[in-house]
Amino acid sequence: MIENRYQPAAVEGRIYTEWEQAGAFRAGRPERAAAQPYCIVIPPPNVTGSLHMGHALNVTLQDILCRFERMRGRDVLWQPGTDHAGIATQAVVERQLLERQQPGSRKMGRDAFIRRVWEWKAESGGTIINQLKRLGASCDWSRERFTMDDGLSRAVLKVFVGLHRAGLIYKDKRLVNWDPTLETAISDLEVQQVETRGNLWHIKYPIEGSDGFIVVATTRPETMLGDVAVAVHPHNERLKHLIGKTAVLPLVGRRIPIIGDDYADPEKGSGAVKITPAHDFNDFEVGRRHGLPLINIFDETAALELTDNDDFLAGVPASAELDATLSLHGFDRFTARKTMVERLEAAGLIDKIEPTQHVVPHGDRSGAVLEPFLTDQWYVDAKTLAQPAIEAVREGKTAFVPSQWEATFFNWMENIQPWCISRQIWWGHQIPAWYGPDGKIFVAETEDDAVADALAHYVDIEEVTPEDGHDIAADPARRARFANEYLHRDEDVLDTWFSSALWPFSTLGWPDQTPELKRYYPTSALVTGFDIIFFWVARMMMMGLYCTGKVPFPVVYIHALVRDATGAKMSKSKGNVIDPLELVDKYGADALRFTLAAMAAQGRDIKLSEQRVEGYRNFATKLWNAARFAEINGCATVEGFDPRQAKETLNRWIAHETAKTAAEVTEAIEAYKFNDAASAVYRFVWNIYCDWYLELVKPILTGPDGEAMSETRAMVAWARDQILKLLHPFMPFVTEELWAVTALSKRDSLLALGKWPSLEGIGDAKAEAEIGWVIDLIAAIRSARAEMNVNVPLPLLMVHVGDHVWDRAQRWSEFIMRMARISEVTRSPIFPRGAVQLVVRGEVVALPLAGIVDLAAERARLAKEMAKADADIARIDAKLGNPNFVARAPQDVVEEEKEKREEALARKARIAEALERLKGAE
RNA sequence: GGGCGGUUAGCUCAGUCGGUAGAGCGUCUGCUUUACACGCAGGAUGUCGGCGGUUCGAGUCCGUCACCGCCCA
């Protein structure tokens, strides 16, 4: 006997093990060799990660799709894996070293540190995978990949070298967003612009050969040490006469030109701006336009670097002022700012200090204030790669769902900037570039290839004799020595997203033409959050098209972000994450999954409420008890049972409703409307199957044995089985468990590998009409007696009804008596005095309540109905009285309104009669 | 500054051909009805943010304003 409560904690682990042991999630199961493939690649979570609500939503939706397609018979590959997450992981391990008071990464050295990270990955990298399993994710774990696996790393090298040869990866010296705490460059996307309160310092720069000053306004006075010019707008009436003159940079003594450039907005600040090309993106452009030098005044940690800084000292005469400034060497930028402002104030060079609100770039990982920094970095020519991706979306080869995201995608792709892909950290794919003693760069997939290229080059320029070149090339030991002595590999690693961009095909074996690649690529859909459209989706599109010539997926389903109570994005650094596993522990994975699916309406963020999860836990219990009811009543799956052959109207009706629901659920999942699918199956299970079918079926199941009983038992079990299937993608654990425990003999297969209901052609409008009437009648009686507070059993009179209605009433009398507490159903030609009138689908029935009923209550009830009828009539009359409506509205709409009017009038007349009779009863 | 989304019942949210507003939770009333109190039955609750327009008809389309949020600069 089934227990009366479903206990998720006791079941989920066991069920998951069964799935894995059966290889249920394995792609390429032999019996599906001829099936159509279906493939989703998981957005690889960080190995550092632990499951948060965003993962839970993301994984639930993918699992729904995968389980759905698997049940539809397709050969499903849900490709799992994790991302090495360069900066994040390196930071975690470094923090750990610090906490344990062990030597830091720099002290350990590169190789030791990387070994340390691998060790860390080995011991805790599996955490997130186990958490995904707890949610029920049906990934093919045998194919789990990691972005730093050998195979994937090979793909990375191949793409890097290929893009470099094609001129689409290049090295460039330009300003990058520099994170001074992580001491690495980051990409534009990793910059968070934060609205910050600050000051606008107005500083007076003396003008050479006069007593005058030009006042520049800046939010970053410390960068003035790198100033190379002052700019004013050429049309600035007040200041344009200064163009061509020279200013003397305070604290330094550098002579800098005053130039005309329309970047200097006359309305802003003082109208004049200092130009610091090495420390400001806009100034960099201004400097380039005017051929100005670049003076970098910071080191990698954004501390001042002044002594021995030739650029800084060039052309600056020695002075006490300069010496004082040089003493700031090594100061942090913010300390330097404070000191410098004090000195300027003392010198009377601060014109004013204006409080201001401005945006300051911060690193999204470290939270540090970023510094525009002049460095050599590797870039991807994203503009070129973006073109085919833009085309593909425009042509519909890849569609976003909801489609509004396409605008976001285009907007970014059309304005895309070069992608800085080098990072000055150690954990990641080391850039396959080797430098020769002359600075020549050799990019190759292996060191051996680089050596070969280098030898060819140095023979070519006669640094190495052809004979030596030949000898070195022929001898592995000498090649290694040559590499060691003459070549130096680039220290940097690639942006994590570089390898993620290859994920849809690198996980399938690319660059080898593996059977998996052939079968599952392009994948079938991508499911992800909008926050990584730029980071990941766009880059997969670019790389996929470049490397394989095909879009990596035809559909990108963009789901909502699960936000915290204030609507802020949940993130580890903010510490505002809700732990989904706590909810799983408390209510079960199925309840959480169903909640997320039900709330996954397109285009809206999710604020999760625990009450909702509790409600769907109750739903699982309801389902559980429905199965228990079936078991108690001997309803077991009948092999080969065909619902189309059912004779009982009630059974034909539930078959009809089941088929309708199956169609709704199927259609909704196909359209990625997970919430519609969830509510359709919820409503059916609870409000149709449990509330009505199982209740109506009770007299049959407790009645005498016979054909009706056996057919009904079979139908109860059949409908339950359909429910388990329809619900399985949403609630895999409880449905799988019920699939097993409700079986008399072992089922053919696990439910996870079961067949999705395909119930076309099961429909019965007549059954629907008949059972619909019974339901409406019972509801009307219940409502009336509740309103009048009558609990005793009552007879039901069918008042001057036609024969076929009477027949129907008799057919269902037993059911009506049971469910509406009716003592007997009889036919009456007249309406008895003092009876309560109900109208159900146009037929009048009466509850003889003379002496029982509270006349005042009944009068009130009728008055309420009368008011509603009047309101309906008034509304329809207003419509039909409008000649424009009759003339312009579609004919069927007008007809419908006329019918409604007739119905409302008839209703009103009956209510009037009833009120009349009530008077007679008094 | 540019763009996007939101504003619907006390709360959280559905409502994708324009045709009399829905769910869950909460709330109120009544129930030891032989699966389930994580339950059953019944009830109440909305100038669909404001204003204007299109239309026979607008929560739904257009314009505008307000507030909230996000993305980009």
Side-chain angles (χ1 to χ4, degrees):
Chain A
M1 175 71 81
I2 305 175
E3 297 296 315
N4 80 338
R5 284 285 164 85
Y6 167 62
Q7 305 288 355
V11 169
E12 290 176 356
R14 173 167 50 77
I15 293 282
Y16 202 91
T17 305
E18 280 173 33
W19 286 327
E20 288 206 286
Q21 280 172 353
F25 309 148
R26 294 288 279 265
R29 288 173 62 91
E31 79 278 8
R32 298 192 184 210
Q36 216 188 334
Y38 183 87
C39 177
I40 291 182
V41 294
I42 201 168
N46 293 355
V47 275
T48 57
S50 56
L51 194 79
H52 60 62
M53 215 43 96
H55 293 125
L57 172 65
N58 180 252
V59 163
T60 296
L61 300 184
Q62 289 173 81
D63 198 45
I64 288 169
L65 291 173
C66 286
R67 288 181 183 271
F68 171 66
E69 296 295 356
R70 194 177 289 118
M71 291 178 79
R72 292 216 289 185
R74 293 176 73 170
D75 172 22
V76 173
L77 168 58
W78 185 6
Q79 172 66 51
T82 50
D83 191 289
H84 68 279
I87 292 175
T89 305
Q90 175 149 346
V92 166
V93 176
E94 277 179 339
R95 197 179 324 127
Q96 200 184 56
L97 292 172
L98 194 71
E99 278 165 8
R100 298 185 185 174
Q101 300 186 319
Q102 290 169 331
S105 57
R106 309 269 155 179
K107 224 171 212 170
M108 285 173 101
R110 183 172 194 135
D111 292 344
F113 180 73
I114 289 175
R115 266 200 308 279
R116 179 62 191 249
V117 182
W118 278 108
E119 280 166 23
W120 181 86
K121 190 239 167 199
E123 80 195 33
S124 55
T127 306
I128 184 115
I129 298 300
N130 290 323
Q131 292 174 328
L132 295 179
K133 290 181 181 179
R134 289 209 51 201
L135 278 176
S138 63
C139 301
D140 182 350
W141 300 107
S142 72
R143 296 192 46 83
E144 185 184 338
R145 295 289 185 270
F146 177 54
T147 46
M148 279 173 66
D149 282 350
D150 289 344
L152 275 65
S153 298
R154 199 156 56 86
V156 165
L157 295 176
K158 170 123 184 146
V159 172
F160 187 94
V161 172
L163 284 170
H164 181 259
R165 296 234 165 96
L168 295 169
I169 281 182
Y170 55 91
K171 201 164 187 190
D172 196 8
K173 190 184 194 80
R174 41 183 280 168
L175 285 189
V176 289
N177 292 293
W178 183 266
D179 189 315
T181 62
L182 300 171
E183 295 182 49
T184 179
I186 60 175
S187 78
D188 299 350
L189 281 175
E190 293 158 87
V191 178
Q192 296 284 319
Q193 301 291 350
V194 182
E195 192 79 22
T196 310
R197 207 183 288 278
N199 287 322
L200 197 56
W201 282 274
H202 293 244
I203 307 171
K204 299 197 275 190
Y205 286 16
I207 295 166
E208 194 175 56
S210 88
D211 307 336
F213 297 95
I214 183 164
V215 178
V216 300
T218 179
T219 55
R220 302 207 47 202
E222 69 280 10
T223 64
M224 69 184 283
L225 301 180
D227 283 4
V228 296
V230 172
V232 301
H233 198 282
H235 302 317
N236 186 331
E237 294 304 325
R238 194 167 52 85
L239 296 172
K240 70 178 184 187
H241 67 281
L242 294 172
I243 295 171
K245 294 198 162 31
T246 299
V248 178
L249 186 62
L251 309 184
V252 180
R254 182 182 305 132
R255 297 174 65 248
I256 56 175
I258 298 172
I259 59 172
D261 194 290
D262 48 19
Y263 166 62
D265 184 346
E267 305 299 319
K268 274 193 185 154
S270 64
V273 289
K274 58 196 271 312
I275 301 298
T276 323
H279 296 293
D280 184 281
F281 288 99
N282 290 311
D283 292 8
F284 183 82
E285 292 305 319
V286 175
R288 181 172 278 181
R289 280 201 287 275
H290 296 270
L292 297 166
L294 291 138
I295 300 176
N296 181 10
I297 55 157
F298 290 131
D299 68 10
E300 289 77 6
T301 64
L304 288 179
E305 185 164 66
L306 303 177
T307 55
D308 303 325
N309 183 337
D310 292 340
D311 291 337
F312 172 72
L313 295 168
V316 178
S319 67
E321 189 184 35
L322 178 64
D323 288 343
T325 299
L326 284 172
S327 72
L328 295 175
H329 177 86
F331 275 47
D332 166 78
R333 54 192 158 157
F334 300 112
T335 318
R337 173 186 299 178
K338 194 162 167 278
T339 311
M340 286 168 61
V341 169
E342 281 165 10
R343 282 182 59 203
L344 288 168
E345 268 183 319
L349 292 175
I350 295 287
D351 184 52
K352 61 175 171 180
I353 300 172
E354 216 182 328
T356 183
Q357 195 83 7
H358 62 132
V359 288
V360 177
H362 287 67
D364 67 353
R365 284 280 164 210
S366 68
V369 174
L370 299 178
E371 202 60 56
F373 200 55
L374 190 66
T375 53
D376 284 308
Q377 302 289 345
W378 291 92
Y379 291 90
V380 168
D381 177 357
K383 199 174 175 60
T384 301
L385 290 175
Q387 299 317 310
I390 293 169
E391 265 323 282
V393 174
R394 197 152 274 145
E395 288 167 9
K397 287 179 185 159
T398 293
F400 282 75
V401 178
S403 59
Q404 73 207 38
W405 292 107
E406 285 174 14
T408 307
F409 175 81
F410 287 136
N411 185 46
W412 189 68
M413 290 293 263
E414 282 160 5
N415 298 295
I416 198 162
Q417 297 298 308
W419 172 18
C420 176
I421 50 170
S422 41
R423 296 290 180 275
Q424 287 66 52
I425 58 170
W426 287 341
W427 176 241
H429 300 99
Q430 191 171 358
I431 289 174
W434 284 261
Y435 301 91
D438 56 349
K440 176 80 180 166
I441 305 173
F442 306 98
V443 171
E445 288 180 44
T446 62
E447 188 178 76
D448 243 17
D449 289 353
V451 167
D453 290 351
L455 284 172
H457 168 72
Y458 291 116
V459 167
D460 210 38
I461 63 166
E462 300 181 357
E463 279 289 320
V464 175
T465 65
E467 293 73 29
D468 277 353
H470 182 83
D471 289 352
I472 295 169
D475 179 354
R478 289 193 65 185
R479 284 206 303 270
R481 202 161 68 234
F482 176 85
N484 215 15
E485 285 173 20
Y486 294 97
L487 297 182
H488 172 245
R489 185 167 182 179
D490 198 311
E491 299 274 337
D492 293 352
V493 301
L494 288 165
D495 182 3
T496 293
W497 296 102
F498 191 91
S499 52
S500 321
L502 316 180
W503 187 250
F505 46 95
S506 65
T507 50
L508 298 174
W510 189 94
D512 296 335
Q513 292 302 310
T514 60
E516 288 81 5
L517 188 69
K518 193 159 180 291
R519 184 160 173 77
Y520 302 107
Y521 187 87
T523 66
S524 309
L526 181 80
V527 177
T528 193
F530 62 79
D531 53 327
I532 54 174
I533 290 178
F534 304 146
F535 278 108
W536 194 46
V537 180
R539 287 161 178 175
M540 282 191 287
M541 291 287 292
M542 294 192 279
M543 291 300 199
L545 283 161
Y546 181 78
C547 296
T548 71
K550 293 177 197 160
V551 293
F553 24 70
V555 172
V556 180
Y557 176 76
I558 300 290
H559 58 68
L561 231 51
V562 186
R563 295 181 179 277
D564 74 1
T566 64
K569 187 173 156 182
M570 290 187 193
S571 73
K572 265 174 290 180
S573 53
K574 282 186 206 145
N576 59 350
V577 293
I578 300 172
D579 184 359
L581 293 177
E582 281 178 21
L583 294 175
V584 170
D585 288 340
K586 204 163 163 193
Y587 302 106
D590 291 327
L592 176 62
R593 291 170 56 111
F594 204 90
T595 307
L596 291 169
M599 294 183 83
Q602 292 176 4
R604 186 137 163 174
D605 294 339
I606 293 178
K607 275 188 252 167
L608 200 67
S609 94
E610 187 168 331
Q611 277 189 330
R612 194 88 186 245
V613 183
E614 189 183 353
Y616 290 124
R617 186 274 317 267
N618 296 352
F619 177 56
T621 307
K622 184 76 180 175
L623 175 73
W624 187 260
N625 277 289
R628 187 162 172 262
F629 170 83
E631 187 193 47
I632 289 166
N633 288 283
C635 305
T637 305
V638 172
E639 225 38 70
F641 174 75
D642 181 1
R644 290 173 187 80
Q645 304 300 318
K647 293 194 177 58
E648 295 295 316
T649 306
L650 193 53
N651 291 333
R652 296 188 65 76
W653 169 75
I654 197 66
H656 168 96
E657 294 291 337
T658 306
K660 207 171 86 183
T661 304
E664 277 171 22
V665 174
T666 304
E667 208 174 302
I669 299 177
E670 283 175 343
Y672 302 97
K673 293 179 178 173
F674 299 98
N675 58 323
D676 287 351
S679 63
V681 67
Y682 180 94
R683 205 189 313 265
F684 175 68
V685 171
W686 202 313
N687 303 119
I688 294 178
Y689 184 74
C690 291
D691 285 352
W692 290 105
Y693 183 62
L694 294 187
E695 293 301 328
L696 286 167
V697 120
K698 279 175 182 173
I700 303 176
L701 295 179
T702 55
D705 267 337
E707 275 183 39
M709 180 191 253
S710 66
E711 178 187 290
T712 300
R713 281 177 161 171
M715 185 62 85
V716 166
W718 176 84
R720 177 205 60 212
D721 287 349
Q722 307 315 303
I723 286 169
L724 294 180
K725 290 175 175 185
L726 292 174
L727 209 44
H728 181 74
F730 301 88
M731 300 188 134
F733 292 105
V734 66
T735 52
E736 188 73 74
E737 176 70 358
L738 282 173
W739 185 248
V741 301
T742 58
L744 284 184
S745 55
K746 199 167 160 22
R747 301 269 192 180
D748 290 345
S749 79
L750 290 169
L751 183 57
L753 291 168
K755 205 168 164 314
W756 186 254
S758 171
L759 306 176
E760 289 78 18
I762 303 182
D764 189 334
K766 266 172 68 186
E768 203 284 326
E770 180 142 336
I771 303 301
W773 177 81
V774 174
I775 289 173
D776 285 357
L777 175 63
I778 293 167
I781 296 167
R782 281 172 172 174
S783 179
R785 72 187 317 150
E787 252 177 279
M788 276 170 286
N789 240 331
V790 177
N791 282 320
V792 296
L794 293 171
L796 176 69
L797 298 182
M798 308 294 298
V799 183
H800 49 74
V801 291
D803 283 346
H804 92 276
V805 175
W806 173 237
D807 287 347
R808 190 162 63 189
Q810 283 185 303
R811 269 200 300 282
W812 296 99
S813 61
E814 192 185 350
F815 298 81
I816 295 163
M817 284 159 62
R818 179 190 178 92
M819 294 186 68
R821 295 200 83 188
I822 293 298
S823 53
E824 58 174 342
V825 179
T826 56
R827 193 179 191 180
S828 165
I830 53 122
F831 200 100
R833 296 172 67 119
V836 164
Q837 167 195 283
L838 302 170
V839 180
V840 178
R841 295 202 177 182
E843 308 295 338
V844 176
V845 300
L847 294 173
L849 286 165
I852 306 172
V853 73
D854 174 349
L855 290 176
E858 171 62 354
R859 203 164 21 246
R861 188 183 71 89
L862 287 171
K864 205 171 85 182
E865 287 197 8
M866 178 66 97
K868 187 167 185 322
D870 281 338
D872 286 351
I873 293 163
R875 186 179 44 76
I876 297 166
D877 279 350
K879 252 187 185 181
L880 290 171
N882 180 343
N884 277 326
F885 175 72
V886 181
R888 301 198 190 189
Q891 201 50 44
D892 54 331
V893 173
V894 177
E895 282 308 314
E896 206 179 304
E897 290 297 324
K898 285 182 176 164
E899 280 166 27
K900 281 186 199 162
R901 183 168 188 278
E902 290 307 310
E903 181 276 327
L905 283 174
R907 184 151 44 96
K908 182 185 158 100
R910 288 196 198 96
I911 297 165
E913 284 168 27
L915 280 168
E916 215 35 55
R917 278 193 300 270
L918 217 51
K919 269 186 201 151
E922 279 169 308

